[in-house]
Amino acid sequence: MQHDSPDIQQHRDEEVHLLQCQDAETEMEHLGLDQNSGRIILPMENGYSDEARIFERHSGESELRGVHGTVDRISSPDYRVYKRRWFGLVQLVLLNIIVSWDWLSYSPVANTAATFFSTTPSIINWLSTGFLFAFLVASPFTLYALHKSGPRLAIIIASILILLGNWFRYAGTRSRQPSFDLVMFGQILIGLAQPFVLSAPTAYSDLWFTPRGRVSATAFASLANPFGGALGQLINPFLATAPSDIPDMTLYIAIISSVATIPSFFIPRAPPTPVSPSSTLTRPNLSRQFTLLTSSSTFWLVFLPFSVYVGFFNSLSSLLTQILTPYNFSETQSGIAGALLIAVGLVTAAITSPIIDQSKAYLLLIRILVPVIAICYLAFIWAPPTGSVAAPYIICSILGAASFSLVPVALEWLVEVTWPVGPELSSVVCWVGGQLLGGIFIIISDALKAGSGSEPPFNMQKALVFEAVVACAVVSSAFGLGWVGDATSKRLQVDKAGVNEREI
């Protein structure tokens, strides 16, 4: 009988150790490990495609072997995380705050802005709607930038667009005759910037963070976006108490936005070494990834409620003042309701995200949160007619808590179950759905607004009924998860086969 050399035996011992499980044989079989060759064959949703990679472990190095023989050498499997990752994450947070504050600059003071521009609140709504539709135009370029160059390029492009858009808006308010068209042009430029920073968190967390911190990192950056909306809802009514205050309000926002863009140009492109096994693997090209994504029934079951609830959140944030003021709520009280919608959500997400990072209970939380969100939209129908701030404040708080907890969990779980599809693709597609529906819902809600002869005049009760019906209709898709399609966390399986990481 031929015996293996000591070196070969040592290599095989290292492979078993890297799996870090109690039952090595079961885990190796689950991951597709060929025990004779020491290879981990990464599973695809639709079997082993041409893009499948064979991951071979060696002492001190690894290699990726394509099915056609292409080999890419990978550095030592001593995976590290770097403290500098927090600099880029904080900057991504700042830009998401700013871009959302810019989006809702005029909605919280829609009546005041309408007087300043000598128009109607319905026309002011188009500043929000145009912003959301601009997202669709920029999305293909966002996907290309994230796929080819990573989050840094996307962040820089967004910063330039935010900078230009804010000063065009200010110029429109300071012209001899206030120019709504110039303000709209600046608003669209900022709208073009939004997908570059809103779709970047999953790609950034995948590049810089390990499985123990990705949900929290994605939550931190993604939920900064509605936090900016909360600032706009809360602060802008105090900055513009009269039509003549609109130019100064726009100036203050432009200055803050400009300062926030400066650090973008100093963000490192990528960590010096990979932070986890999954971040070293070569993914299929974009067209193949798109095919894998759209053929996943699990993706569609998440995409539907995600897009609808993001769309309604955008619509509610834009129209909240017009929903409440017919019932004698002030713009300040409406702003507080909008701020609660977001502030309570942020606090809740800050609690739930680290828990999910540790427990990986993505599916359970999604099944809980989706019905809660639907119930909130249903209950909100009766909130404005009460005439008391208690009902809108309480419902907005619960709605925000559920919505904000859902966003990062849904986005990260999609990356897990659709892997090897890149995180940028599933994120961009989901946000496109949410922004598109948000714009459509604003138009529909505005069309459902009551006339001057209604009681009270210009109320939006029909729009609230519309929101509740659609929100409840998509609940069933959440309960199909796990029963229809593949719910396996493929990326997590690969990372569990890696070695321990350390921070430097």
Side-chain angles (χ1 to χ4, degrees):
M1 178 183 295
Q2 183 178 359
H3 296 282
D4 292 334
S5 68
D7 288 341
I8 293 177
Q9 184 61 43
Q10 180 183 359
H11 295 166
R12 290 182 175 173
D13 290 343
E14 290 174 353
E15 292 165 357
V16 174
H17 174 69
L18 290 173
L19 289 172
Q20 296 179 328
C21 61
Q22 294 179 348
D23 189 348
E25 292 185 1
T26 302
E27 185 70 10
M28 290 158 66
E29 181 181 355
H30 184 60
L31 290 175
L33 180 62
D34 182 346
Q35 300 181 49
N36 295 320
S37 65
R39 298 176 178 177
I40 299 176
I41 304 176
L42 303 178
M44 301 296 177
E45 180 168 348
N46 299 318
Y48 300 108
S49 66
D50 287 344
E51 286 75 20
R53 295 296 188 265
I54 298 174
F55 192 45
E56 294 188 356
R57 297 240 175 238
H58 298 276
S59 59
E61 68 175 12
S62 302
E63 67 181 28
L64 281 176
R65 186 181 304 278
V67 293
H68 298 302
T70 303
V71 175
D72 297 320
R73 291 287 177 180
I74 302 176
S75 58
S76 170
D78 181 21
Y79 300 105
R80 305 172 180 178
V81 289
Y82 296 85
K83 293 179 180 178
R84 70 193 75 174
R85 70 192 187 278
W86 297 109
F87 175 71
L89 184 63
V90 169
Q91 180 57 17
L92 195 54
V93 167
L94 284 176
L95 291 179
N96 269 298
I97 290 173
I98 290 303
V99 79
S100 188
W101 190 348
D102 290 343
W103 165 47
L104 292 180
S105 295
Y106 303 100
S107 294
V109 290
N111 297 323
T112 304
T115 303
F116 176 78
F117 288 108
S118 301
T119 186
T120 65
S122 294
I123 298 299
I124 296 299
N125 289 343
W126 277 101
L127 290 172
S128 294
T129 307
F131 182 98
L132 296 176
F133 286 149
F135 191 106
L136 309 180
V137 177
S139 292
F141 304 99
T142 301
L143 183 58
Y144 182 84
L146 289 171
H147 182 73
K148 291 296 183 180
S149 300
R152 183 176 185 270
L153 177 61
I155 290 171
I156 291 175
I157 292 173
S159 298
I160 294 172
L161 291 171
I162 289 171
L163 192 65
L164 294 174
N166 270 278
W167 291 106
F168 272 114
R169 294 197 313 176
Y170 178 63
T173 63
R174 281 300 186 187
S175 58
R176 180 173 301 178
Q177 182 69 29
S179 174
F180 182 81
D181 292 340
L182 191 55
V183 172
M184 175 62 84
F185 177 72
Q187 188 81 351
I188 290 175
L189 286 180
I190 302 171
L192 294 174
Q194 189 186 34
F196 288 97
V197 291
L198 188 56
S199 302
T202 52
Y204 189 87
S205 64
D206 183 69
L207 183 65
W208 285 91
F209 287 81
T210 68
R212 294 186 297 177
R214 284 176 181 150
V215 174
S216 297
T218 298
F220 191 40
S222 298
L223 300 182
N225 188 274
F227 177 66
L231 293 178
Q233 296 272 16
L234 188 62
I235 296 174
N236 290 12
F238 293 99
L239 295 178
T241 57
S244 59
D245 295 330
I246 293 295
D248 287 340
M249 180 194 76
T250 307
L251 174 62
Y252 299 147
I253 296 172
I255 293 173
I256 295 171
S257 300
S258 300
V259 172
T261 62
I262 295 173
S264 299
F265 301 93
F266 303 99
I267 294 175
R269 179 176 180 179
T273 59
V275 300
S276 67
S278 62
S279 61
T280 68
L281 303 180
T282 303
R283 294 190 175 91
N285 58 47
L286 270 178
S287 61
R288 179 58 180 159
Q289 288 187 46
F290 188 77
T291 300
L292 290 172
L293 185 69
T294 55
S295 63
S296 170
S297 55
T298 301
F299 166 74
W300 292 112
L301 289 174
V302 175
F303 173 82
L304 182 60
F306 183 93
S307 299
V308 168
Y309 292 159
V310 168
F312 278 139
F313 187 92
N314 290 336
S315 175
L316 185 64
S317 299
S318 300
L319 301 174
L320 192 56
T321 297
Q322 297 171 59
I323 291 171
L324 295 178
T325 51
Y327 294 93
N328 298 319
F329 293 91
S330 66
E331 287 186 341
T332 300
Q333 289 173 324
S334 301
I336 293 173
L340 285 172
L341 177 71
I342 296 167
V344 175
L346 289 172
V347 173
T348 307
I351 297 171
T352 58
S353 296
I355 294 174
I356 296 301
D357 264 330
Q358 298 301 317
S359 67
K360 310 301 179 187
Y362 304 100
L363 186 53
L364 175 62
L365 192 62
I366 291 172
R367 287 174 173 169
I368 293 173
L369 294 176
V370 168
V372 171
I373 293 172
I375 291 171
C376 287
Y377 281 112
L378 180 63
F380 200 73
I381 295 174
W382 295 277
T386 64
S388 169
V389 296
Y393 285 3
I394 292 172
I395 296 173
C396 283
S397 297
I398 299 173
L399 177 60
S403 298
F404 278 54
S405 298
L406 177 65
V407 167
V409 171
L411 290 175
E412 280 298 315
W413 193 61
L414 275 180
V415 177
E416 296 289 345
V417 298
T418 62
W419 196 87
V421 174
E424 66 277 0
L425 181 57
S426 57
S427 178
V428 168
V429 173
C430 283
W431 283 118
V432 164
Q435 303 302 90
L436 173 62
L437 290 182
I440 292 173
F441 291 159
I442 291 174
I443 295 173
I444 293 175
S445 297
D446 191 60
L448 292 174
K449 183 188 294 185
S452 57
S454 301
E455 182 58 36
F458 306 113
N459 73 78
M460 302 191 72
Q461 287 303 104
K462 291 182 180 179
L464 295 181
V465 172
F466 165 73
E467 288 185 355
V469 170
V470 178
C472 292
V474 299
V475 170
S476 59
S477 64
F479 291 101
L481 293 170
W483 297 97
V484 179
D486 184 8
T488 304
S489 295
K490 304 180 186 71
R491 182 179 64 172
L492 185 60
Q493 288 181 346
V494 175
D495 286 331
K496 281 184 176 180
V499 299
N500 293 330
E501 72 280 349
R502 58 191 177 94
E503 183 177 63
I504 63 173

